[in-house]
């Protein structure tokens, strides 16, 4: 867990530098005011700076020193208990940069295709109760939406401008509905801050999220279905929206995807899913990364194919103690697919609260 990288012995006198560093110190975009860091884990904080020789972070009354290499810097924070909000101050010869409303808790990535992408505001009156009153206001639910980016090569920069926010009437209605409900349940059950990072892309195949190397290896087992569209093109999502998250500490991933792999390759979904899970554990350097897979609901003319995808999801879970399946067996017929229902006056949404998410005791 890189505990030996945590440096508490002073490498420079931080008391000399009290001015505001402003933009001269730039933490990586994921590290910003309002963020949630993973509890009980060593968290690496990194970024860029103008010319400087030293870097440190003051957090919860203690100072941790880091390493500078050119314009790049990094500091490791030790394992910490859940809590917040706190202030985190980055210090160098350039001055100080303060981040506020920093929380420590459980952090999850919410990803997949339109099932995960669907927002409460798209559900009309049916999901309006999720955000229509101040009952949804909860500073201990931290949310971040990653911008759309499809790239030919892996990027170390997240796309577009975004910020960490707390759960409130405006942010909840624009966030992933399944992701929010998952986070809400986890926050209630675990009683600690929950960080939710969302990056789903509607219609995307699982190959869209695989690295080029993993995709090429997968091709030895089956031929991928593709129609030339961006969302079915292998590796584009990995390059632009998944790899940029590498280095973060997460407790787990919530995954809701599979329909776009039901066009003749459903029999191989277990192969792709195992490859994807192993890839995530490599990216986030966590062999015990929890992976929650949501089963598919019946939809239009492919209920048999979707049942095969669900069978493959469950077969992977049976052989991996850190894979959990969110049951999704009572969503109705295809016109009630994954909570969508079409009416003449727009989209309605139902049944999201039927998901069975489980926070197993050993994962707390």
């Amino acid at each position: 867990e890189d505990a030996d990288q945590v440096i508490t012995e002073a490498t420079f006198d931080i008391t000399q530098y009290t001015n505001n560093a402003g933009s001269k110190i730039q933490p990586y975009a994921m590290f910003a005011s309002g963020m949630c860091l993973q509890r009980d884990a060593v968290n690496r904080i990194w970024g860029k700076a103008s010319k400087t020789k030293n870097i440190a972070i003051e957090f919860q009354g203690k100072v941790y020193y880091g390493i500078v290499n050119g314009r790049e810097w990094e500091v490791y924070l030790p394992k910490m208990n859940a809590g917040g909000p706190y202030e985190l101050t980055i210090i160098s010869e350039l001055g100080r940069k303060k981040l506020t409303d920093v929380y420590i808790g459980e952090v999850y990535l919410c990803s997949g295709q339109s099932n995960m992408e669907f927002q409460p505001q798209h559900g009309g009156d049916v999901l309006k109760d999720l955000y229509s009153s101040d009952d949804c206001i909860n500073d201990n639910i931290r949310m971040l939406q990653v911008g759309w980016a499809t790239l030919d090569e892996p990027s170390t920069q997240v796309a577009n401008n975004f910020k960490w926010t707390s759960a409130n009437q405006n942010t909840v209605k624009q966030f992933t509905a399944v992701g929010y409900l998952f986070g809400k349940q986890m926050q209630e059950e675990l009683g600690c801050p929950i960080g939710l990072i969302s990056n789903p892309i509607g219609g995307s195949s699982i190959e869209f999220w695989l690295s080029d190397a993993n995709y090429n290896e997968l091709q030895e087992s089956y031929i991928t279905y593709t129609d030339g569209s961006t969302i079915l093109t292998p590796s584009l999502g990995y390059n632009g929206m998944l790899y940029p998250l590498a280095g973060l500490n997460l407790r787990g991933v919530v995954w809701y995807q599979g329909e776009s792999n039901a066009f003749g390759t459903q029999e191989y979904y277990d192969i792709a899913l195992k490859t994807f899970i192993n890839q995530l554990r490599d990216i986030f350097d966590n062999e015990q990364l929890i992976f929650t897979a949501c089963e598919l609901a019946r939809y239009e003319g492919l209920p048999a194919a979707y049942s095969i995808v669900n069978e493959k999801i469950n077969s992977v879970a049976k052989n991996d103690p850190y894979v959990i399946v969110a049951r999704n067996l009572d969503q109705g017929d295809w016109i009630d697919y994954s909570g969508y229902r079409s009416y003449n006056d727009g989209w309605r949404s139902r049944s999201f609260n039927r998901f069975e998410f489980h926070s197993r005791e050993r994962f707390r």
Side-chain angles (χ1 to χ4, degrees), residues 150-154 212 233 235-236 239-240:
T150 54
L151 303 175
D152 293 329
E153 298 292 336
D212 188 61
T233 300
S235 304
L236 294 186
N239 294 337

Side-chain angles (χ1 to χ4, degrees), residues 222-251:
Y222 68 95
I223 303 301
T224 305
Y225 171 80
T226 181
D227 59 7
S229 62
T230 298
I231 55 178
L232 296 181
T233 300
S235 304
L236 294 186
Y238 169 86
N239 294 337
M241 300 180 66
L242 189 55
Y243 187 76
L245 306 180
L248 296 180
N249 244 317
L250 306 178
R251 176 65 71 195

Side-chain angles (χ1 to χ4, degrees), residues 4 22 39 58 68 82 113 148 207 248 269 309 323 352:
D4 58 337
R39 68 173 173 176
E58 187 173 17
V68 178
Q113 55 182 110
W148 176 301
E207 294 84 8
L248 296 180
Y269 192 74
V309 171
V323 174
F352 279 109

